[in-house]
Every structure is written in C-alpha cells, then in structure tokens.
C-alpha cells in the first residue's frame, strides 16, 4: 500500500471498490454491448456520495481532492473503463465552475452535481480544434439580454445526458491573449442541440456527442466568472486537475486487465501445465505488474502534489496522464495476449479493457500533447542548470568564437 494515503483517501478507495464490485462489474459487459448510459450505476454512485467527491463542502460536496478523484476513478475503471469516465467526466465539466465560477454560479450548479441530480459535460474540442484548443471557432456575441452562441463542439463526453455544459467560445476574435470566454449552457437552452451520437470503439457506457449551437441565447449570468477573455486559461487550469483522473482511469484499466490475466494464467492448462508456470508468461506478468505499480505511484504522487498546491501542476498532470495511459494500453494489450484466442473474443472480459484503454491516450489532450507540456517544463527547468554548461563541450561555440564557423 502507498504510504502517504490517508485514512480519508482509503475510505474513498474502499467505497468506490464496493460500488465497483457490487454494481459495476456485473453490468460492465451489458452496457458495453448496448452502448447505453447505465443510469442504475449512476444512481449507485450518487447514493454512495461519489459524485460529490471533488466538490468543495460549502457547495454540497465532500471537499476531497484530485487524489481522491483518481482513487475513485481507478477503482471504478478496474471493473469498467467506460463507467470510470462516466464518473470522472463530471469533474472535468465542473472544475471550470469550481475554479472560476462566480459565487452565484457555484451555489446554483455545484450542489446539484454533487448530489448526482444533474450531470455535467465539457465542450472545448471542435472539428478543426482538437490539440490546438486555442484555435476554436464557436462564437459568442453580446446581445441585449446576454450572449448568443453559434458553432459546434465535437467529442463531448456525457453530452445529451448532461443537463449542464461548460462551453468555450470566441468572444474577441481580434485578441491574441483574451480571445476565448467560457459559458454555462443548460440542456434546454433554445438553439442548443445534440446533432450526432458517436458509435465508439470503447468507453461505450458513456455517450460522446456533437453539440450544436444555433443562435443559442444564454443570459448574462452564464458567462463563467462574469469575465470575458479568460476562457483558454480556464480550460487549461481545468485540464491540469482533470488529467490526473484520466491517469487514474489508466491505472484502473491496467490493474483490472492484469488481475484477469493472472487469474487466467493460473487456470489455463497447456502442455500439461498452467500457462502461468511458463517463464515467458511470468515475464509478461512481471513487467505488467511493475508498470502498473510505477504508474500508480506516479499518479498518486502527482495528484497529492496538485492537492498541496505545487507550482508545476501542468507538468505533473501531463506526466501522470501520459505514463499511466500508455501503461494501460500496453498492459491491456498484453492481457489479451495472455488470454490468446479467447482474449480476442467478446465472451471474455479483456478485449474490452484494451478497447477502453485506447481513448485514454487520446482524450483530455493526446499523449503527444502531454509530452509537449512535459518537454516544455523540462526545457524551462534546464535554464536553471547553468552549472552543467561547463561540463558539456561546445565545439560549435568554439568555432563561433574563432570566427571559423563556415
Ligand atoms: N494554466 C494556466 N494558463 C495556461 C496553462 C495552464 N495550464 N497553459 C497555458 N496557459 C496560458 C499561457 O500562460 C498563455 O498565456 P499568455 O498568453 O498570457 O502568456 C496562454 O495560456 C497560451 O498558452 P500556450 O502558448 O502554452 O498555448 P498553446 O496554444 O501552445 O497550447 C496546449 C498549449 C498545451 C497544446 C493546449 O492547447 C492543450 O492542452 N491542448 C489539448 C487540448 C485538450 O486537452 N483537449 C481535450 C478536451 S476534453 C476532451 O477530450 C473531451 C471530453 O469530453 C473528455
């Protein structure tokens, strides 16, 4: 067990494990096959108080942190990666309000989310603005009574079933630094609709949709934080806190697939022995286990540091997300390999883990974006390592000094 987990952390982990084993695991295959939202699981999560874990106490939540969000997501994802994100995406949607909302916005929206009465989604990505989130085109223009939004959003998880949406739109197209603002949109706002429900490879228990805004008018008090021009930063600050949740999903998927692979390796007989007695399978299980442990330590440490107010939270979140979700992809793929021909078939549980794992390397910023964020941090930090310069011969600089560089 990780030494720095507190009693409170362990309480959330245990509670989530109970819900995962009693409710999620028995229903995982059903909702994957149906590609329908599991309302009965949502009700069980709400009853256990899980949907308010990350929401501050003064707004009806439990005031727990990013680490608890990761622990709960991990436990749910051990049983079903789709249900893991069905839970965690509410944190992604509500962090903009928690971090930047006005007091009225927080008081109005957060308690409903904490109780599980309403679900929330996050509308940032667009057809032409995925990794380059700053290039989004959805437009919000001032009207007499508020703002009129026109445009569309792509890959919105929880879309259609959510009542509340954190939506990012351009309010000042001429501005370089203050181009985007964030709005709270409600499902019944006129001009707002769901235009496409995606048919997905994995995470099939939760909808991913396109949103359409056609002269969608929202009142003035839906401008997030009451200020324009803050949208890009609000989105990035949100992702810094939500990406560790995806990392937790990765750890859960990897551990869940490893557990199945180990049970199967003990049971499956070939050449008169359990396949777990063969060194090649043992080698795979050992590598899988070491990767899962390393990912878990990294994710918990990153989340704890974020909760403690570390200054480099973008890099912490990015590293945790990229390492844990790359681990999820490799471990779930190896689990399918250990199951052999059976593993490839839908009658067996592990191919679903592999399908669910793939999206974790893509959403909330591709792992290429996470590497970019991490590398920027590393290169910036290297500017403080001037004392290393003298140990690195610089042939080119010598030529420049001598004027012989050509
Ligand atoms: N916190 C606060 N401010 C930040 C910030 C952060 N983490 N990151 C950047 N900023 C600020 C910068 O300081 C800069 O401000 P100034 O102009 O005042 O100097 C400004 O934002 C622009 O920053 P960058 O130049 O770094 O921005 P960029 O255009 O190079 O983009 C990026 C950086 C990291 C690539 C960013 O665009 C990004 O994260 N892209 C991926 C988007 C993403 O994760 N999308 C997924 C959406 S959610 C989803 O997947 C759907 C779902 O439902 C699950």
């Amino acid at each position: 067990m990780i030494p720095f987990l507190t009693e409170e952390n362990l309480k959330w982990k245990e509670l989530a494990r109970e819900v995962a084993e009693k409710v999620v695991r028995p229903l995982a295959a059903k909702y994957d096959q149906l590609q329908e939202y599991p309302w009965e699981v949502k009700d069980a999560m709400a009853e256990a108080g899980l949907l308010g874990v990350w929401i501050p106490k003064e707004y009806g939540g439990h005031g727990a942190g990013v680490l608890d969000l990761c622990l709960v997501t991990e436990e749910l994802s051990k049983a079903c990666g789709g249900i893991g994100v069905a839970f965690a995406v509410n944190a992604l949607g509500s962090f903009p309000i928690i971090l930047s909302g006005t007091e009225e916005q927080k008081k109005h929206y957060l308690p409903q989310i904490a109780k599980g009465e309403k679900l929330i989604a996050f509308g940032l990505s667009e057809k032409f603005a995925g990794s380059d989130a700053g290039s989004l085109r959805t437009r919000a223009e001032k009207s007499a009574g508020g703002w009129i939004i026109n445009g569309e959003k792509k890959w919105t998880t929880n879309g259609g079933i959510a009542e509340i949406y954190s939506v990012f739109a351009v309010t000042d197209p001429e501005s370089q630094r203050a181009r985007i603002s964030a709005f709270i949109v409600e499902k019944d706002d006129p001009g707002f609709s769901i235009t496409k429900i995606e048919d997905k490879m994995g995470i099939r228990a939760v909808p991913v949709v396109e949103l359409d805004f056609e002269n969608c008018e929202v009142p003035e008090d839906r401008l997030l934080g009451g200020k324009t021009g803050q949208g890009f930063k609000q989105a990035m600050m949100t992702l810094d806190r939500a990406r560790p949740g995806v990392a937790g999903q990765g750890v859960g998927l990897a551990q869940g697939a490893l557990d199945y692979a180990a049970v199967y390796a003990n049971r499956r007989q070939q050449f008169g022995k359990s396949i777990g007695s063969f060194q090649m399978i043992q080698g795979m299980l050992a590598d899988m286990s070491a990767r899962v442990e390393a990912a878990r330590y990294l994710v918990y440490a990153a989340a704890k540091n974020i909760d403690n107010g570390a200054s480099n939270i973008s890099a912490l979140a990015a590293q945790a997300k990229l390492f844990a979700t790359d681990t999820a992809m490799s471990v779930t793929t190896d689990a399918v390999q250990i199951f052999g021909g059976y593993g490839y078939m839908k009658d067996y549980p592990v191919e679903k883990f592999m399908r669910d794992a793939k999206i974790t390397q893509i959403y909330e910023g591709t792992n290429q974006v996470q590497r970019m964020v991490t590398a920027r941090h590393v290169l910036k930090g290297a500017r403080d390592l001037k004392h290393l310069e003298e140990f690195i011969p610089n042939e080119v600089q010598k030529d420049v000094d001598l004027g012989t560089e050509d």
Side-chain angles (χ1 to χ4, degrees):
M1 187 39 75
I2 310 276
F4 59 73
L5 291 187
T6 62
E7 295 261 316
E8 182 74 1
N9 297 146
L10 293 172
K11 184 197 91 180
W12 286 116
K13 197 166 161 57
E14 193 45 46
L15 193 57
R17 181 176 307 164
E18 255 178 65
V19 173
E21 292 307 328
K22 277 193 199 140
V23 186
V24 178
R25 195 180 296 280
L27 294 171
K30 173 181 158 186
Y31 285 104
D32 176 59
Q33 197 185 5
L34 291 175
Q35 194 165 214
E36 275 177 14
Y37 187 75
W39 290 102
E40 55 190 312
V41 176
K42 195 274 292 183
D43 289 345
M45 293 194 292
E47 203 176 308
L50 298 181
L51 289 167
V53 165
W54 64 90
I55 293 180
K57 282 189 179 150
E58 58 269 40
Y59 306 111
H62 297 284
V66 170
L67 177 54
D68 296 294
L69 169 67
C70 293
L71 296 171
V72 174
T73 310
E74 176 190 345
E75 288 302 327
L76 297 172
S77 303
K78 257 158 67 177
C80 174
I83 288 169
V85 65
F87 162 77
V89 74
N90 293 289
L92 174 69
S94 55
F95 275 133
I97 302 177
I98 296 172
L99 294 169
S100 316
T102 62
E103 195 52 29
E104 290 69 33
Q105 288 166 343
K106 290 179 190 177
K107 275 192 188 140
H108 182 67
Y109 290 104
L110 296 177
Q112 310 176 53
I113 299 161
K115 283 195 209 105
E117 289 167 1
K118 289 189 179 170
L119 301 172
I120 183 162
F122 182 78
L124 177 68
S125 302
E126 297 178 3
K127 206 175 277 178
F128 301 104
S131 293
D132 185 6
S135 70
L136 62 86
R137 298 178 183 183
T138 294
R139 190 81 167 82
E141 286 168 290
K142 196 80 195 73
S143 68
W147 294 86
I148 296 179
I149 307 176
N150 277 292
E152 54 187 17
K153 293 285 166 187
K154 205 152 172 68
W155 306 301
T156 303
T157 311
N158 245 9
I161 55 162
E163 306 275 343
I164 311 161
Y165 297 76
S166 296
V167 171
F168 297 82
V170 177
T171 46
D172 185 354
E174 306 310 321
S175 171
Q176 283 269 316
R177 308 185 98 185
R179 204 175 150 259
I180 297 168
S181 304
F183 297 87
I184 302 169
V185 174
E186 296 185 8
K187 191 179 183 179
D188 296 331
D189 285 331
F192 173 64
S193 63
I194 307 297
T195 41
K196 185 182 179 198
I197 301 173
E198 302 287 356
D199 186 4
K200 307 180 299 301
M201 172 195 274
I203 59 158
R204 288 167 62 84
V206 66
V208 171
V209 309
E210 283 181 11
L211 312 179
D212 187 64
F213 302 86
E214 207 180 324
N215 292 323
C216 171
E217 184 153 18
V218 296
E220 182 63 43
D221 63 5
R222 303 273 201 80
L223 172 66
L224 189 74
K227 282 193 207 133
T228 55
Q230 309 291 308
F232 189 75
K233 283 187 188 171
Q234 288 163 340
M236 293 300 116
M237 284 160 57
T238 291
L239 288 163
D240 287 344
R241 284 144 183 101
R243 283 172 180 160
V246 181
Q249 188 193 7
V251 174
L253 279 162
Q255 183 69 62
L258 171 60
D259 290 346
Y260 275 126
V263 169
Y264 185 78
N266 275 333
R267 187 177 83 184
R268 172 74 169 161
Q269 299 280 316
Q270 287 292 279
F271 306 103
K273 290 175 179 168
S274 71
I275 61 168
S277 65
F278 299 130
Q279 284 188 355
M280 270 193 264
I281 298 291
Q282 289 177 2
M284 287 175 79
L285 289 170
D287 287 346
M288 290 157 81
S289 172
R291 283 191 197 122
V292 176
E293 285 304 309
R296 179 176 288 118
Y297 268 83
L298 179 65
V299 173
Y300 291 4
K304 181 116 185 152
N305 281 326
I306 290 171
D307 285 337
N308 288 344
S311 58
N312 58 334
I313 69 169
S314 302
L316 289 169
Q319 281 172 358
K321 198 262 188 193
L322 83 86
F323 189 79
T325 61
D326 281 357
T327 297
M329 198 64 244
S330 84
V331 169
T332 57
T333 305
D334 282 351
V336 171
Q337 188 70 22
I338 288 175
F339 271 73
Y342 291 112
Y344 199 69
M345 304 303 157
K346 289 191 185 244
D347 289 344
Y348 285 74
V350 283
E351 60 82 36
K352 175 182 179 303
F353 280 79
M354 188 175 155
R355 286 187 286 109
D356 286 349
K358 186 62 218 173
I359 191 63
T360 66
Q361 294 179 301
I362 299 171
Y363 61 18
E364 294 196 32
T366 62
N367 282 3
Q368 284 70 28
V369 163
Q370 311 309 327
R371 285 181 168 84
M372 186 168 134
V373 172
T374 305
R376 282 180 183 179
H377 174 74
V378 171
L379 291 169
K380 198 168 154 216
R383 290 189 213 132
D384 295 332
L385 301 174
K386 293 265 183 269
H387 64 288
L388 299 182
E389 288 279 1
E390 64 176 294
F391 297 99
I392 307 175
N394 190 342
E395 296 292 329
V396 177
Q397 192 56 46
K398 207 167 71 190
D399 286 344
V400 171
D401 292 343
L402 293 171
T404 56
E405 68 269 32
D406 296 331

